[in-house]
Amino acid sequence: MPPPPDTVKVAIEWPGAFPKLMEIDQKKPLSAIIKEVCEGWSLGNHENFALQIADTNFYITEKNRNEIKNGSILRLTTSPHQTATQLHERIQSSSMDAKLEALKDLASASRDITFALEFISMDGISLLTQMVESGTERYQKLQKIMKPCFGDLLSFTLTAFVELMDHGIVSWDTFSVAFIKKIASYVNKSAMDTAVLQRSLAILESMVLNSQELYHKVAQEITIGQLIPHLQGTDQDIQTYTIAVINALFLKAPEERRQEMAHILAQKQLRSIILSSVIRGPTPINDEMAHQLYVLQVLTFNLLEDRMMTKMDPQDQAQRDVIFELRRIAFDMESEANNGGSMEKRKSMYTRDYKKLGFMNHVNPAVDFTQIPPGMLALDNMLYFARHHQDAYIRIVLENSSREDKHECPFGRSSIELTKMLCEILKVGELPGENCHDFHPMFFTHDRSFEEFFCICIQLLNKTWKEMRATSEDFNKVMQVVREQIMRALTLKPNSLDQFKSRLQNLSYAEILKIRQSERMNQEDFQSRPILELREKIQPEIMELIKQQRLNRLCEGTCFRKISSRRRQDKFWYCRLSPNHKVLHYGDLEESPQGEVPHDSLQDKLPVADIKAVITGKDCPHMKEKGALKQNKEVLELAFSILYESDEYLNFIAPDKHEYCVWTDGLNALLGKEMTSDYTKSDMDTLLSMEMKLRLLDLENIQIPEAPPPIPKEPSNYDFVYDCN
């Protein structure tokens, strides 16, 4: 007979004894179960003991006991209070070896919130900060004779501190200036243990992000110049944490301070160092580094927001002089203006030239820049183009001023609308997304990358205008084509601005038409009634194929990252479906796996039959619990939960949109529900189109083999291969 629904069969370990197989009644108080286990091994004082999950070393409590599944391996150990008390005493030992071992145990135990609550209640964090502030001098005296020990002592101390703070129990505002100075000193030293440096950078980042007051204190202790050397090494983790600290300082800086910081970053050649040491470095860029580069890219472009949202004052003479400079460079009329002439004649001449420059308001072009966005940013771009790409600027202006009116491309209007479009594409003014890795290497190749980006795109716009033989009525159509050209070129992630320019050359208007035609053919193939009936007949077969693919993908499993207040905590868990599609196996991992994780190593199980529903987006319980996540649109779009039993949830945040669709589709398929994701629709369209084309081929008297033809043997030699050039 199967065991009662509230009973789970487990194995319980105790050091020096044979494990016991035991049935646990989940309705029974946990203290009574622990007492029964202790009595089985003749152990007194059962209140000093507790149960842990053997694989994770996390304590079992009344709150999380429902996570115990059939087949789980538990461990009888000292209670959280007892363990915290012992470690609190041991880390104060006068013996360096004993202290080192205690700190190592503390760093491991602090990952568990049950232990953390006990240790923090004993002023454990204050003890650690005191050890860092005052004990470091004593460690440093030993450093010369036992350098590895010093590095390990400090590393485990800081690791325990980071893990304890990660639970969000203690406010970051409680730390002293002395502690901040000490952590900053580890970052400022030229030679420091890698683990200590990594933890110190992580602490500084968290301080800045979690407290405005600490931001000011950290900013006084850390300079960009002191962080730069850490980027020039080869350790990508150190580089990642360093850029994260720079991003945090940038993000929390007051508005007036950000431009000053950007100037310092330019002086210290941060961009070129990141380009040479990180982007073009020997180590492939991982997801976390890609995220930090994306954040830096967004924060850099957000410096343009102020100009983007600033209207031009038509009465401001200094701003009007910039427009006059555009006219002067284009038409070189300075000498003519100096020759005098009546005021009316000069005004007439200016109006004519401003019309040639393509402004909407020929009399007072300043009015064109009162639209926000793009505001003054458009004028900045135009002036940069005129000064730094003068030949191209003059050519575009003169070329269009000599055309028939109906075919001239208005440079002024085009520049204003293009600047607005580029701001939309790069999301200028928006905060960086939590899970986004969309950085573009080409923006790290130039100090004025946005302006150069504009210069390339305004020339593209002029070229596309000519290719389309556009008139003023076609302005919006041209802008749509240019947007498509830019987006398609950016999708290819060019490594440099020159490469971006080259790819735009290949995306002419004729090529865009071909691409559109091809996509339209794929979408709108064969609308006759017999064909539509055939599609309806084939569709269930294709849907079954997609369903099997999704379930097979769930059987392979996926690694999910645990999300909390600190982004980079390197905690993962893995979930996969059993081959018979009846059980979900899941469990925590120490690090991201390189391949599939075996079922045997995933101790937790959830029978598919127990699943009641799949919940997505803002309705997920972990989205309601974590206010910070709820505000983040990208994280919200990747969240889903499994509801099982009455009110129990298994919560997921997918690594990307593809995995989100695969898992929600697969889980819905297991529950016999419709698969509704965007990827299912895309797969259905693709496979259905291919199947339709195959079935409609003229294959009379041609027999299609059921098995693919064999691959031919390799030739005995390759002498027939030659260079065509």
Side-chain angles (χ1 to χ4, degrees):
M1 288 179 60
D6 294 315
T7 301
V8 289
K9 292 183 177 181
V10 299
I12 302 179
E13 300 175 335
W14 171 251
F18 287 107
K20 285 188 175 183
L21 296 177
M22 186 173 178
E23 289 189 1
I24 292 180
D25 183 356
Q26 291 286 41
K27 291 182 179 179
K28 196 173 181 180
L30 192 59
S31 57
I33 295 170
I34 293 170
K35 182 179 180 181
E36 182 182 340
V37 173
C38 290
E39 288 173 351
W41 274 306
S42 302
L43 299 172
N45 300 322
H46 70 274
E47 62 275 3
N48 292 333
F49 292 90
L51 291 172
Q52 285 181 332
I53 301 290
D55 287 343
T56 62
N57 293 331
F58 284 2
Y59 282 102
I60 295 168
T61 64
E62 290 291 354
K63 287 184 178 180
N64 66 15
R65 63 184 295 176
N66 287 330
E67 295 177 12
I68 304 173
K69 305 299 178 186
N70 281 316
S72 296
I73 300 176
L74 311 183
R75 179 185 298 118
L76 183 67
T77 186
T78 52
S79 68
H81 178 78
Q82 194 79 2
T83 305
T85 303
Q86 293 171 0
L87 285 174
H88 196 276
E89 294 174 359
R90 288 171 57 202
I91 61 175
Q92 300 179 72
S93 171
S94 57
S95 165
M96 285 296 111
D97 288 338
K99 185 189 286 284
L100 178 62
E101 196 62 33
L103 286 168
K104 185 177 179 181
D105 292 343
L106 177 62
S108 175
S110 297
R111 296 182 302 117
D112 179 22
I113 191 170
T114 309
F115 168 84
L117 286 165
E118 292 288 346
F119 189 77
I120 289 170
S121 69
M122 299 174 185
D123 267 348
I125 286 185
S126 297
L127 177 59
L128 291 176
T129 55
Q130 289 169 16
M131 290 170 64
V132 173
E133 290 173 23
S134 59
T136 306
E137 284 80 3
R138 185 155 53 88
Y139 297 159
Q140 286 173 329
K141 292 177 183 178
L142 298 169
Q143 187 177 6
K144 293 180 181 178
I145 56 174
M146 47 191 307
K147 188 172 181 180
C149 182
F150 164 75
D152 289 343
L153 277 169
L154 199 50
S155 171
F156 288 130
T157 304
L158 296 179
T159 300
F161 175 83
V162 169
E163 294 290 353
L164 290 167
M165 290 302 298
D166 189 33
H167 297 296
I169 301 166
V170 178
S171 169
W172 283 93
D173 288 312
T174 57
F175 299 108
S176 67
V177 174
F179 179 70
I180 297 170
K181 285 179 178 289
K182 190 63 68 176
I183 297 298
S185 71
Y186 301 143
V187 174
N188 293 336
K189 284 182 181 177
S190 56
M192 177 52 68
D193 179 82
T194 301
V196 172
L197 177 59
Q198 190 181 91
R199 304 296 186 279
S200 300
L201 288 166
I203 291 170
L204 291 178
E205 183 203 4
S206 293
M207 284 180 172
V208 172
L209 290 177
N210 288 285
S211 169
Q212 193 65 31
E213 183 181 346
L214 288 185
Y215 156 74
H216 293 289
K217 294 176 181 177
V218 172
Q220 291 173 356
E221 300 297 328
I222 294 290
T223 66
I224 299 299
Q226 291 162 330
L227 292 171
I228 292 292
H230 301 314
L231 291 172
Q232 295 172 314
T234 56
D235 189 317
Q236 189 167 116
D237 286 337
I238 296 296
Q239 292 173 327
T240 303
Y241 278 89
T242 302
I243 296 177
V245 172
I246 293 172
N247 286 338
L249 290 169
F250 219 134
L251 190 63
K252 288 295 181 178
E255 293 285 340
E256 64 277 6
R257 170 85 176 124
R258 288 181 188 175
Q259 292 290 349
E260 183 185 339
M261 270 195 72
H263 181 65
I264 294 170
L265 294 176
Q267 281 185 329
K268 298 295 182 182
Q269 298 184 321
L270 176 71
R271 178 199 59 75
S272 58
I273 290 170
I274 288 176
L275 181 66
S276 58
S277 300
V278 179
I279 296 175
R280 295 177 180 171
T283 308
I285 292 176
N286 59 30
D287 284 348
E288 188 54 44
M289 174 59 86
H291 172 74
Q292 294 301 338
L293 290 173
Y294 153 77
V295 172
L296 182 59
Q297 173 185 291
V298 170
L299 295 177
T300 303
F301 284 143
N302 280 356
L303 294 171
L304 303 169
E305 184 182 11
D306 182 54
R307 294 293 284 174
M308 181 182 77
M309 300 306 291
T310 300
K311 292 182 179 181
M312 187 172 188
D313 181 1
Q315 306 307 318
D316 189 315
Q317 187 57 45
Q319 295 178 358
R320 290 164 63 91
D321 286 344
V322 175
I323 297 176
F324 186 79
E325 175 73 359
L326 290 173
R327 173 192 167 279
R328 186 195 66 77
I329 294 172
F331 303 112
D332 196 23
M333 298 296 287
E334 188 174 11
S335 57
E336 190 175 317
N338 291 335
N339 289 335
S342 68
M343 182 64 70
E344 289 298 322
K345 186 177 179 181
R346 290 172 64 184
K347 280 186 176 180
S348 174
M349 180 178 64
Y350 291 163
T351 300
R352 181 196 68 201
D353 290 344
Y354 290 146
K355 183 179 180 182
K356 289 180 179 179
L357 278 169
F359 290 112
M360 298 285 285
N361 191 315
H362 308 150
V363 178
N364 187 4
V367 176
D368 287 14
F369 299 97
T370 56
Q371 172 195 347
I372 56 171
M376 290 295 291
L377 184 60
L379 185 58
D380 295 341
N381 282 340
M382 293 167 71
L383 185 62
Y384 181 90
F385 182 49
R387 286 178 172 173
H388 294 84
H389 299 270
Q390 196 171 106
D391 291 344
Y393 168 69
I394 293 172
R395 176 177 55 77
I396 287 176
V397 173
L398 295 183
E399 190 178 82
N400 285 291
S401 63
S402 62
R403 286 186 194 170
E404 298 177 33
D405 285 348
K406 65 176 183 177
H407 285 300
E408 63 185 19
C409 176
F411 173 74
R413 182 186 176 191
S414 298
S415 297
I416 292 169
E417 289 302 317
L418 178 64
T419 301
K420 182 180 178 182
M421 179 198 293
L422 298 183
C423 289
E424 290 171 356
I425 290 172
L426 298 177
K427 300 181 179 179
V428 174
E430 295 185 21
L431 288 175
E434 181 70 24
N435 279 340
C436 190
H437 312 106
D438 190 25
F439 87 97
H440 294 275
M442 73 178 193
F443 291 130
F444 290 85
T445 62
H446 201 286
D447 289 328
R448 304 288 295 273
S449 59
F450 184 81
E451 290 88 343
E452 289 293 324
F453 186 42
F454 168 83
C455 293
I456 293 170
C457 293
I458 192 66
Q459 294 177 74
L460 167 73
L461 193 155
N462 187 65
K463 171 175 171 284
T464 302
W465 186 282
K466 288 189 290 185
E467 291 173 348
M468 293 178 68
R469 295 188 56 78
T471 63
S472 57
E473 287 80 10
D474 300 318
F475 187 86
N476 290 334
K477 290 181 182 177
V478 175
M479 295 304 294
Q480 288 172 7
V481 173
V482 170
R483 186 187 192 99
E484 185 174 346
Q485 289 170 315
I486 294 169
M487 293 299 290
R488 288 186 184 276
L490 285 177
T491 303
L492 300 171
K493 291 290 178 75
N495 291 317
S496 66
L497 289 163
D498 285 339
Q499 197 175 93
F500 173 69
K501 189 174 182 179
S502 174
R503 285 176 176 170
L504 285 177
Q505 291 292 331
N506 296 329
L507 286 169
S508 63
Y509 177 56
E511 184 62 26
I512 291 293
L513 287 179
K514 286 181 184 177
I515 293 171
R516 286 180 174 180
Q517 180 68 17
S518 174
E519 290 176 350
R520 195 178 300 116
M521 287 291 291
N522 288 334
Q523 292 170 3
E524 300 176 2
D525 263 351
F526 316 120
Q527 296 300 316
S528 64
R529 184 174 176 180
I531 301 301
L532 292 175
E533 289 177 355
L534 179 59
R535 287 171 68 91
E536 289 179 11
K537 181 181 177 182
I538 297 173
Q539 205 158 343
E541 300 174 20
I542 302 297
M543 186 57 76
E544 182 62 27
L545 186 65
I546 295 172
K547 175 183 173 182
Q548 291 305 317
Q549 187 275 335
R550 298 291 193 265
L551 294 177
N552 289 341
R553 185 64 190 78
L554 263 60
C555 290
E556 293 174 11
T558 299
C559 178
F560 298 92
R561 185 185 288 272
K562 289 190 173 182
I563 301 290
S564 73
S565 57
R566 284 182 66 250
R567 175 182 166 79
R568 279 185 332 282
Q569 53 186 334
D570 297 324
K571 292 183 180 178
F572 304 91
W573 68 288
Y574 199 89
C575 187
R576 64 182 300 184
L577 181 65
S578 62
N580 62 5
H581 301 172
K582 291 185 177 180
V583 179
L584 282 174
H585 298 263
Y586 63 96
D588 292 337
L589 301 176
E590 290 298 324
E591 57 184 4
S592 181
Q594 298 302 313
E596 291 183 16
V597 176
H599 293 93
D600 298 344
S601 61
L602 302 172
Q603 297 300 321
D604 296 315
K605 299 176 183 178
L606 173 60
V608 172
D610 291 349
I611 299 176
K612 306 298 182 187
V614 178
I615 304 166
T616 59
K618 63 182 180 181
D619 295 324
C620 295
H622 54 321
M623 291 295 99
K624 295 176 181 177
E625 291 169 6
K626 300 182 184 292
L629 293 179
K630 189 176 180 182
Q631 299 301 320
N632 193 297
K633 184 179 178 183
E634 290 189 18
V635 173
L636 203 63
E637 290 176 348
L638 299 176
F640 63 97
S641 299
I642 294 175
L643 170 66
Y644 62 97
E645 295 180 356
S646 56
D647 58 350
E648 296 295 325
Y649 295 91
L650 186 61
N651 299 318
F652 300 75
I653 295 180
D656 52 47
K657 186 68 175 177
H658 179 265
E659 289 297 320
Y660 170 84
C661 291
V662 165
W663 274 84
T664 52
D665 280 344
L667 291 170
N668 280 323
L670 286 173
L671 298 178
K673 296 182 179 179
E674 187 179 354
M675 299 184 293
T676 57
S677 77
D678 294 339
Y679 278 86
T680 293
K681 184 177 182 301
S682 175
D683 289 349
M684 172 62 75
D685 291 343
T686 302
L687 294 171
L688 195 54
S689 175
M690 290 173 59
E691 185 66 19
M692 289 290 293
K693 288 174 181 176
L694 282 173
R695 295 202 182 192
L696 293 171
L697 284 174
D698 185 7
L699 298 176
E700 188 175 354
N701 298 323
I702 298 176
Q703 186 175 358
I704 300 177
E706 293 184 2
I711 299 173
K713 293 181 179 179
E714 289 192 22
S716 57
N717 62 66
Y718 291 87
D719 294 343
F720 55 87
V721 177
Y722 61 92
D723 188 349
C724 296
N725 297 322

